[in-house]
Amino acid sequence: MRSQWRQATRAQRQTWQLVAVSAAVGLAVAAGAVLVAGPWDSGQRTAERARAAGRPATGGERHGGPPKSPPSAAPVLAALGAAAARPSPDSGEDAVPPPTGPGLADTLEPLLDDPVLGSERSASVMDVTTGQQVFGAKAGTTAIPASTVKLATGAAALSALGPDHRIRTTVVQGPDQRDIVLVGGGDPTLTARAVKGSGHPAALSQLADDTARALKKRGSDEVRLGFDTSLYSGPKLHPIGPNENISPVTPLMADEGRLDDSDHGPAPRAQDPAADAARTFASMLRDRGVDVAGEPRSREAGKRPRALAAVRSQPLSALVERMLTTSDNDIAEALARQTAIAVGEPASFDGAARAVTARLRALRLPLEGARIADGSGLNRDDHVSAALLAQVLVRAADRGHPELRPVLTGLPVAGFSGTLRTRYAQDGVGRGVVRAKTGTLTGVNSLAGTVVDADGRLLVFAFMTNGTSDALGAQRALDKMASALANCGCR
């Protein structure tokens, strides 16, 4: 009977591979006809809407690793849409049966034994249609997740605020007629760079345009500029200290405090992003005919000040997608604090951690033994289980939680986008089919995402390992496990 199942699985796999090749050819043709506006356009991933390739991008989660050369291919074989995640039995003669625990164990357990993986390793694989775990190896044991904790951060923020929420940056009237105050609202994607078209991040230039217009309308041509960062409390520096992977955490910054022209990944950072943003804004006002006296100074705007101008970020759905695709630590910490503000906690590292934990508990996720210490996963005090990460993804696929869908649509595509762009071989089984969030710290490697198996069944997985000594080897081992799921009927 076992051999009959394996023969049937091989036949189904051949059929699936033929369909995949045909789909890839069709998508390649479609990609040439689609004008790609970028990976985030008006809150929706262009590649998701068009089912075509996104723009080239380098991985965002390096944390000290060497740069890698980009792949030569461009078209992306999009994963199948998420099915309903509410538990329900399969029905009908044509229903695709889920993989079985023994079948998955035959495939995954030998790969989990790879000596390149660290001393602590765990795994959880869940069937999206039933919402049930079909394979687990120490799935409930907590470990350091690194950046895969961003899945939890994104789900918490979306749950608390909704996908359409936008973060405001405002200019308000100060106590004196000559005083204006630039008030940070917590948008790390606020940009001082040139923008064009629609769907771009909030622009400091637009805020300067609107502010200058409002000042001239009331006859003011000379002002003193202050800047307000009182929305956040507690330490500005992440516990890892000054680091090229994250700026000081402040509610006012432009382009994440980057001192080069990058938009993701490691970069030199400003020591005081808020003051830098205010100086840039003052220069923009001067260019528009407003005389700004002296240097901008830190000051609070006061209670209920009169607004002169405001700009809004892209929708939260787009911020979550960008955070996950490029593993953006600055956005992650900002979203954790937005969650804190939404639930009435202080917008600090501690308050954000409590708020994210509370939202995960409200989503009825398994938090036994878990500790959320930050939003980005840079803190080694973060500890979560593979079961928690997998169930975050199951909730995001649940038709009862459409607000969480950006957690899925933001996942990098193996071999094509974000932090998975330079992973998975050109002819690898998982290439274009595995979609997953990566996690990398010294001695820590994790991978959590979705995959469509050889039978067309949508699965979610979370693989974690701590205590690794060969980061690239551990990444390859985790990628091999995800690819094995893609190539598996596993019954």
Side-chain angles (χ1 to χ4, degrees), residues 40 67 114 131 149 151 153 200 240 263 307 338 381 405 472 488-489:
W40 303 280
D114 191 327
V149 84
L151 296 169
T153 302
H200 56 71
I240 63 172
D263 62 7
Q338 292 295 315
D381 287 340
R405 205 73 76 238
L472 293 179
C488 181

Side-chain angles (χ1 to χ4, degrees), residues 218-308:
R218 73 179 193 188
S220 299
D221 57 6
E222 183 178 348
V223 297
R224 292 177 299 218
L225 177 63
F227 60 95
D228 186 343
T229 60
S230 62
L231 183 65
Y232 290 179
S233 59
K236 293 181 181 179
L237 282 181
H238 190 280
I240 63 172
N243 192 280
E244 65 177 3
N245 289 293
I246 188 170
S247 282
V249 183
T250 173
L252 176 63
M253 59 174 63
D255 301 300
E256 301 182 337
R258 295 173 180 274
L259 298 178
D260 59 16
D261 60 358
S262 65
D263 62 7
H264 65 275
R269 307 296 182 118
Q271 292 183 351
D272 190 346
D276 280 8
R279 282 192 287 269
T280 299
F281 185 65
S283 178
M284 289 180 173
L285 288 178
R286 293 185 183 107
D287 290 342
R288 288 156 176 78
V290 178
D291 184 10
V292 181
E295 284 288 300
R297 295 186 178 184
S298 176
R299 65 179 304 169
E300 292 192 21
K303 295 182 178 179
R304 298 181 180 177
R306 183 168 70 88
L308 297 175

Side-chain angles (χ1 to χ4, degrees), residues 65-361:
K68 300 176 183 179
S69 59
S72 58
V76 174
L77 178 60
L80 297 181
R86 286 178 176 168
S88 59
D90 292 312
S91 60
E93 294 181 359
D94 296 331
V96 177
T100 66
L104 285 170
D106 285 349
T107 297
L108 295 179
E109 285 180 351
L111 300 178
L112 272 172
D113 288 338
D114 191 327
V116 77
L117 295 176
S119 54
E120 301 175 39
R121 55 193 77 177
S122 57
S124 177
V125 179
M126 300 186 68
D127 178 46
V128 169
T129 301
T130 65
Q132 300 298 311
Q133 179 171 280
V134 286
F135 174 80
K138 296 185 178 179
T141 302
T142 62
I144 302 171
S147 283
T148 51
V149 84
K150 291 183 175 77
L151 296 169
T153 302
L158 289 164
S159 172
L161 294 159
D164 297 325
H165 177 76
R166 295 174 186 255
I167 304 170
R168 287 168 58 91
T169 303
T170 59
V171 175
V172 302
Q173 177 65 58
D176 185 277
Q177 186 72 7
R178 291 184 59 205
D179 293 328
I180 62 173
V181 183
L182 174 61
V183 183
D187 177 13
T189 66
L190 178 70
T191 183
R193 300 168 185 172
V195 295
K196 60 181 179 179
S198 62
H200 56 71
L204 209 54
S205 59
Q206 179 183 338
L207 188 60
D209 286 341
D210 294 345
T211 301
R213 189 178 301 113
L215 291 172
K216 291 176 181 178
K217 186 175 182 180
R218 73 179 193 188
S220 299
D221 57 6
E222 183 178 348
V223 297
R224 292 177 299 218
L225 177 63
F227 60 95
D228 186 343
T229 60
S230 62
L231 183 65
Y232 290 179
S233 59
K236 293 181 181 179
L237 282 181
H238 190 280
I240 63 172
N243 192 280
E244 65 177 3
N245 289 293
I246 188 170
S247 282
V249 183
T250 173
L252 176 63
M253 59 174 63
D255 301 300
E256 301 182 337
R258 295 173 180 274
L259 298 178
D260 59 16
D261 60 358
S262 65
D263 62 7
H264 65 275
R269 307 296 182 118
Q271 292 183 351
D272 190 346
D276 280 8
R279 282 192 287 269
T280 299
F281 185 65
S283 178
M284 289 180 173
L285 288 178
R286 293 185 183 107
D287 290 342
R288 288 156 176 78
V290 178
D291 184 10
V292 181
E295 284 288 300
R297 295 186 178 184
S298 176
R299 65 179 304 169
E300 292 192 21
K303 295 182 178 179
R304 298 181 180 177
R306 183 168 70 88
L308 297 175
V311 290
R312 300 193 303 162
S313 72
Q314 293 172 299
L316 190 69
S317 57
L319 300 185
V320 169
E321 288 176 339
R322 178 170 169 178
M323 171 189 69
L324 295 175
T325 300
T326 63
S327 199
D328 193 300
N329 298 308
D330 301 283
I331 295 177
E333 296 300 345
L335 294 186
R337 279 161 177 71
Q338 292 295 315
T339 305
I341 295 166
V343 303
E345 288 280 0
S348 62
F349 282 107
D350 290 342
R354 289 193 297 270
V356 169
T357 302
R359 294 311 305 173
L360 297 178
R361 184 173 292 113

